[in-house]
C-alpha cells in the first residue's frame, strides 16, 4: 500500500496493495476487528476536506474488483457505508474525538517518532503492543499533520522558486559580467571613454534624439541598444544614455567599447558619476532605505509571514515577494529623477531593459505632447483583454480612504517601459514631489496603499500628465502570457517582455525569444565563452 502526497498537484493518491489485510487490525475494547474499512474512512474524512482525494485503485476495499478512480465513484462506494449504521457503529468514538480535537502548533514539532510514510505507520501499528484505538488515532493524526505541513512548505517553496527563478541572475549573465570586468582591467580598448571626446557635445545637444536606458544587465542593455540603432533610419542622430550602477559600470563600459554602435552616440555612466548624485541630493536613496526598513518589518517580517498556518501558500509567497529587494532597486526608482539627471535636455525617451525595438523611433519626437509630461500607452483597452485590463484599481488599494478620496478606480492605467518624457514640462510640475509625498504616505500606512513596484506611485505622480500614444509604440505582456503570437509581436514597434519570463532566463517563452535573441551575435567571443545560446 502506498500513500503519495504530491505537493504541486495537491493530490493524495492511495494505492492499496498486498498486506493491507494483516495490518489493519487494532484493538478496540474487548474484541479484534478488521479496521480495513475504518482506515479508509478515516483517511477519507481527514484528507478529503483538505485535498483532492484520488484513489487510483480501490479493489481492495471490499474485495470488489471494479476500478474506481474518480472522487464521485469513491464517494458512492465509501460514503454510504461510513454514514450508514453498519460502519458507524464500528468506528470507536475515541478516534473521532481525537481527530476532532484542535491541533496545537507544536504537536509535530521536533518529534522524531512520527511515521513519515504510510508504510512506517503500518509497521508501527503492527508492532506496537498498545495498538488501541486511541494511539492509532493519535499516530494517524500526527502523520497527517506532518504530511500536511510538508505539503504546505513544499507549496510555498514552489511559488517562491518561481519568483527566485525570475529575479536571480542566471550563471551565464554572471559569467558575462565577470569576463567583461576582467577584459576591462586587462585591455585598454575595453576602457574607452564613451562617447569619445569629440562626441561629448552631442550629449547635451537637443537637436539629437535622446534615449535613456537604466540597467545592470549587460546582455539586456546590448539588445536594447543594438535593436534601437539597427532599426534607426538616421542612427547618427541618436544618443543613447546608458545608466548603470557602480558594480556593473566596468562590464558595461567594456561591452560598449568593444561593440561600438557607430554612428549612434552611446554614453555609459554609473549613477555615482552624475553631478546631481555626487552633490548629495539623493532623496531616492533615502526613500529606498526607509522603504527597505519598513518592508523588512512588514507584517512582522518573513518568519511571521511563514508562521501563519491559516494563510494560503500562494498568499504567503506573494507577501514574501513584497519583501524582496528586487522591487526596491535604484535602477527602478531612478527614472523619477530624469529632469535632474539630464538638466540640459528637453525631451527623452526612457526605455526599460526588457524591451526590443523593431522600428525607427525618431517619429516619437513628432508626437505633440499637448503640454503633458509623459507619453505612454494605455493598458485598459485593446484586443488582448488579458494584458489590457489594467485600471488604477488594479494597482492601488481603493479600500483605503486616502486612495478612494483622491482617485477614480476605473481610470485607465498606463505602462512604463517606453515613455516619452517632456523634461521641460516636468520641471514646471511637481511630479517628483508628489511621488515622494505618496511614497511617504504608503510607508506611514504600513504599505497598505500599494505593495509592489514603482508603477503605483508613478500612476499617482503622473496623474493628469499623461499623453496617450498609439499602442503600436509599446506592445506589452510578452513575459507573463504566451498567447501573443510571433506574427502579432512582429507588427509592433516596440515589444516589452514585462513579467517573469524574461528572454534571458530559462523560463522565457520559446516562441517569443527569437525576437530578442536575433539582436545577439552568438559567435561573439564573450557570448560564446559564457555559453549563451540562441535557444
Ligand atoms: C493569518 O492569516 C489569516 C488569513 O489572512 C488572518 O486572518 C490572520 O489574522 C493571520 N494570523 C496572524 C497571526 O497574522
Ligand atoms: C503641487 O502639488 C500640490 C499638492 O500635491 C498641489 O496642490 C499643487 O497644485 C501642485 N502644483 C503644481 C504647480 O502642479
Ligand atoms: C487596503 O486598505 C485597507 C484600509 O486601510 C486595509 O485594511 C487593507 O489591509 C489594505 N489592503 C492591502 C492589501 O494592503
Ligand atoms: C492568455 O493567456 C492567459 C494565461 O497564460 C489566459 O489567462 C488568458 O485568458 C489568455 N488570453 C486570451 C485572449 O486568450
Amino acid at each position: 500500500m502506498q500513500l503519495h502526497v504530491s505537493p504541486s498537484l495537491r493530490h493524495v493518491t492511495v494505492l492499496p496493495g498486498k498486506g493491507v489485510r494483516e495490518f489493519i487490525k487494532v484493538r478496540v475494547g474487548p474484541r479484534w476487528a478488521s479496521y480495513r474499512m475504518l482506515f479508509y474512512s478515516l483517511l477519507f474524512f481527514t484528507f478529503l476536506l483538505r485535498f483532492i482525494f484520488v484513489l487510483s485503485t480501490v479493489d481492495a476495499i471490499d474485495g470488489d474488483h471494479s476500478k474506481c478512480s474518480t472522487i464521485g465513484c469513491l464517494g458512492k462506494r465509501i460514503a454510504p457505508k461510513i454514514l450508514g449504521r453498519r460502519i458507524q457503529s464500528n468506528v470507536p468514538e475515541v478516534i473521532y474525538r481525537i481527530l476532532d480535537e484542535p491541533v496545537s502548533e507544536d504537536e509535530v514539532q521536533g518529534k522524531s517518532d512520527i511515521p513519515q510514510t504510510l508504510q512506517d505507520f503500518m509497521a508501527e501499528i503492527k508492532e506496537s503492543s498498545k495498538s488501541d484505538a486511541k494511539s492509532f488515532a493519535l499516530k494517524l493524526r500526527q502523520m497527517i499533520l506532518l504530511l500536511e505541513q510538508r505539503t504546505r512548505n513544499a507549496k510555498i517553496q514552489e511559488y517562491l522558486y518561481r519568483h527566485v527563478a525570475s529575479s536571480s541572475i542566471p550563471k551565464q549573465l554572471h559569467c558575462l559580467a565577470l569576463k567583461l570586468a576582467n577584459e576591462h582591467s586587462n585591455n585598454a580598448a575595453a576602457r574607452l571613454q564613451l562617447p569619445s571626446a569629440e562626441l561629448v557635445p552631442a550629449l547635451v545637444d537637443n537637436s539629437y534624439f535622446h534615449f535613456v536606458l537604466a540597467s545592470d544587465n549587460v546582455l539586456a542593455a546590448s539588445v536594447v541598444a543594438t535593436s534601437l540603432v539597427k532599426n534607426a533610419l538616421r542612427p547618427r542622430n541618436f544618443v543613447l544614455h546608458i545608466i548603470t550602477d557602480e558594480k556593473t559600470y566596468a562590464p558595461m563600459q567594456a561591452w560598449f567599447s568593444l561593440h561600438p554602435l557607430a554612428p549612434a552616440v552611446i554614453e555609459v555612466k554609473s549613477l555615482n558619476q552624475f553631478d546631481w548624485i555626487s552633490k548629495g541630493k539623493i532623496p531616492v536613496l533615502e526613500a529606498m532605505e526607509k522603504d527597505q526598513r519598513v518592508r523588512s518589518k512588514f507584517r512582522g517580517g518573513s518568519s511571521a509571514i511563514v508562521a501563519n498556518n491559516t494563510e494560503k501558500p500562494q498568499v504567503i509567497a506573494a507577501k514574501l515577494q513584497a519583501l524582496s529587494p528586487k522591487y526596491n532597486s535604484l535602477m527602478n526608482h531612478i527614472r523619477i529623477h530624469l529632469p535632474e539627471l539630464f538638466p540640459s535636455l528637453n525631451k527623452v525617451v526612457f526605455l526599460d531593459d526588457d524591451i526590443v525595438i523593431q522600428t525607427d523611433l525618431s517619429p516619437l519626437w513628432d508626437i505633440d505632447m499637448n503640454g503633458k509630461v509623459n507619453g505612454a500607452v494605455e493598458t485598459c483597452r485593446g484586443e488582448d483583454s488579458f494584458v489590457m485590463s489594467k485600471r488604477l484599481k488594479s494597482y492601488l488599494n481603493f479600500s483605503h480612504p486616502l486612495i478612494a478620496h483622491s482617485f477614480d478606480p476605473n481610470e485607465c492605467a498606463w505602462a512604463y517601459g517606453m515613455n516619452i518624457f517632456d523634461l521641460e514640462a516636468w520641471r514646471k510640475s511637481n511630479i517628483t514631489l508628489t511621488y515622494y509625498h505618496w511614497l511617504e504616505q504608503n510607508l506611514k500606512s504600513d504599505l497598505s496603499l500599494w505593495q509592489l513596484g514603482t508603477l503605483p506611485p508613478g500612476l499617482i505622480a503622473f496623474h493628469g500628465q499623461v499623453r496617450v500614444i498609439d499602442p503600436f509604440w509599446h506592445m506589452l505582456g510578452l513575459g507573463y502570457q504566451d498567447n501573443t503570437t510571433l506574427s502579432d509581436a512582429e507588427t509592433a514597434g516596440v515589444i516589452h517582455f514585462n513579467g517573469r519570463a524574461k528572454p534571458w532566463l530559462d523560463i522565457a517563452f520559446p516562441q517569443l525569444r527569437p525576437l530578442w535573441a536575433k539582436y545577439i551575435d552568438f559567435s561573439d567571443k564573450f557570448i560564446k565563452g559564457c555559453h549563451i545560446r540562441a535557444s
Side-chain angles (χ1 to χ4, degrees):
M1 178 143 177
Q2 290 178 344
L3 177 85
H4 177 66
V5 183
S6 145
S8 58
L9 296 174
R10 288 200 136 211
H11 281 184
V12 176
T13 315
V14 179
L15 297 163
K18 283 182 199 143
V20 177
R21 204 174 296 250
E22 64 260 41
F23 132 67
I24 302 178
K25 276 190 176 164
V26 278
R27 192 159 178 80
V28 184
R31 68 204 157 80
W32 287 88
S34 164
Y35 278 91
R36 193 155 49 116
M37 260 320 292
L38 168 64
F39 183 71
Y40 281 116
S41 55
L42 287 173
L43 271 184
F44 186 74
F45 274 135
T46 46
F47 275 119
L48 187 64
L49 300 177
R50 300 173 175 94
F51 300 100
I52 299 165
F53 190 84
V54 179
L55 204 60
S56 305
T57 5
V58 290
D59 322 308
I61 286 187
D62 246 355
D64 180 335
H65 290 282
S66 66
K67 297 238 154 126
C68 215
S69 60
T70 66
I71 201 167
C73 164
L74 181 74
K76 247 185 255 154
R77 297 187 49 180
I78 296 183
K81 289 179 192 146
I82 295 165
L83 302 173
R85 247 169 247 153
R86 186 162 60 90
I87 294 299
Q88 209 165 34
S89 62
N90 277 347
V91 179
E93 211 30 58
V94 61
I95 291 185
Y96 286 125
R97 211 192 60 230
I98 286 176
L99 292 175
D100 276 348
E101 272 170 15
V103 180
S104 76
E105 285 282 307
D106 43 0
E107 175 158 343
V108 296
Q109 217 129 60
K111 279 203 181 166
S112 55
D113 63 338
I114 300 168
Q116 308 272 313
T117 65
L118 198 59
Q119 276 92 339
D120 295 350
F121 177 73
M122 283 152 53
E124 224 170 281
I125 296 289
K126 252 197 293 187
E127 280 162 22
S128 169
S129 52
K130 52 175 178 93
S131 51
D132 56 281
K134 188 172 171 205
S135 58
F136 172 88
L138 269 174
K139 274 265 177 293
L140 179 65
R141 187 170 95 162
Q142 289 176 345
M143 181 183 75
I144 289 166
L145 262 174
L146 190 73
L147 290 176
E148 220 185 30
Q149 283 190 357
R150 285 216 192 119
T151 309
R152 190 183 146 71
N153 289 343
K155 199 76 195 158
I156 293 174
Q157 269 165 14
E158 184 192 317
Y159 284 113
L160 281 180
Y161 173 73
R162 289 193 214 152
H163 171 69
V164 170
S166 67
S167 58
S168 65
I169 303 167
K171 61 177 185 301
Q172 293 94 332
L173 295 193
H174 194 59
C175 160
L176 185 64
L178 288 179
K179 268 196 198 304
L180 287 166
N182 188 43
E183 193 76 10
H184 189 265
S185 45
N186 295 325
N187 177 1
R191 292 192 297 268
L192 301 182
Q193 186 196 342
L194 291 176
S196 56
E198 74 274 14
L199 288 172
V200 167
L203 298 179
V204 293
D205 183 341
N206 279 300
S207 66
Y208 285 77
F209 300 116
H210 293 269
F211 298 87
V212 179
L213 167 67
S215 178
D216 57 1
N217 178 336
V218 177
L219 189 63
S222 96
V223 168
V224 175
T226 309
S227 65
L228 173 71
V229 175
K230 290 258 155 81
N231 289 299
L233 293 179
R234 288 177 303 277
R236 65 178 61 257
N237 295 341
F238 278 24
V239 179
L240 175 62
H241 306 263
I242 299 173
I243 306 176
T244 191
D245 55 16
E246 229 173 325
K247 75 173 173 7
T248 318
Y249 178 72
M252 196 71 91
Q253 187 189 21
W255 178 269
F256 285 98
S257 294
L258 299 170
H259 305 82
L261 288 163
V265 179
I266 309 282
E267 177 189 34
V268 176
K269 205 162 171 180
S270 160
L271 268 174
N272 54 313
Q273 295 166 346
F274 282 88
D275 289 346
W276 173 76
I277 287 192
S278 56
K279 278 185 195 136
K281 288 188 217 141
I282 29 180
V284 63
L285 289 179
E286 198 182 309
M288 280 173 53
E289 209 171 281
K290 251 191 241 168
D291 188 71
Q292 197 55 45
R293 229 179 304 134
V294 171
R295 273 179 206 280
S296 65
K297 286 189 237 137
F298 185 39
R299 300 182 177 121
S302 50
S303 50
I305 293 174
V306 176
N308 189 339
N309 281 321
T310 53
E311 200 81 274
K312 286 201 192 96
Q314 70 258 47
V315 175
I316 296 218
K319 287 182 175 176
L320 289 174
Q321 280 175 29
L323 307 182
S324 161
K326 178 188 172 189
Y327 295 100
N328 198 25
S329 94
L330 190 53
M331 290 290 129
N332 281 338
H333 281 282
I334 201 64
R335 58 186 141 205
I336 203 64
H337 289 294
L338 286 171
E340 294 97 324
L341 293 175
F342 299 97
S344 25
L345 298 184
N346 297 337
K347 196 185 258 190
V348 300
V349 165
F350 189 87
L351 306 170
D352 276 1
D353 67 359
D354 51 354
I355 64 161
V356 176
I357 293 134
Q358 312 190 112
T359 191
D360 177 36
L361 291 190
S362 48
L364 291 176
W365 269 261
D366 299 334
I367 293 174
D368 181 356
M369 294 287 282
N370 300 333
K372 303 282 203 270
V373 173
N374 177 2
V377 297
E378 277 188 326
T379 49
C380 68
R381 289 176 256 276
E383 281 165 41
D384 190 336
S385 56
F386 181 61
V387 176
M388 291 298 171
S389 59
K390 310 290 194 297
R391 297 178 183 276
L392 291 195
K393 64 182 174 196
S394 324
Y395 298 99
L396 302 171
N397 177 7
F398 275 89
S399 309
H400 199 290
L402 215 49
I403 295 289
H405 289 151
S406 315
F407 306 99
D408 171 8
N410 289 316
E411 189 177 307
C412 199
W414 48 268
Y416 270 141
M418 207 301 301
N419 304 76
I420 311 165
F421 288 116
D422 184 329
L423 300 184
E424 271 187 303
W426 189 336
R427 288 184 194 105
K428 288 181 207 139
S429 77
N430 54 13
I431 287 170
T432 312
L433 277 178
T434 311
Y435 185 86
Y436 282 110
H437 171 75
W438 283 90
L439 227 48
E440 193 70 27
Q441 294 300 315
N442 194 33
L443 292 179
K444 270 192 208 153
S445 54
D446 205 14
L447 306 185
S448 62
L449 307 187
W450 70 84
Q451 279 168 27
L452 297 182
T454 51
L455 182 58
L459 291 171
I460 293 176
F462 288 103
H463 186 75
Q465 291 285 7
V466 176
R467 160 74 161 96
V468 176
I469 62 174
D470 192 295
F472 166 79
W473 294 113
H474 189 182
M475 179 190 256
L476 288 136
L478 276 68
Y480 68 85
Q481 49 90 28
D482 63 349
N483 32 30
T484 303
T485 62
L486 187 65
S487 53
D488 273 351
E490 277 172 333
T491 64
V494 174
I495 51 173
H496 192 173
F497 291 84
N498 58 318
R500 278 195 302 252
K502 300 294 183 212
W504 53 85
L505 299 175
D506 292 341
I507 56 174
F509 300 125
Q511 78 279 21
L512 298 174
R513 195 171 182 269
L515 293 171
W516 179 80
K518 74 193 234 197
Y519 293 102
I520 298 174
D521 173 7
F522 291 98
S523 65
D524 180 86
K525 76 167 185 182
F526 296 101
I527 300 290
K528 234 171 143 173
C530 288
H531 306 289
I532 297 167
R533 300 203 178 85
S535 58

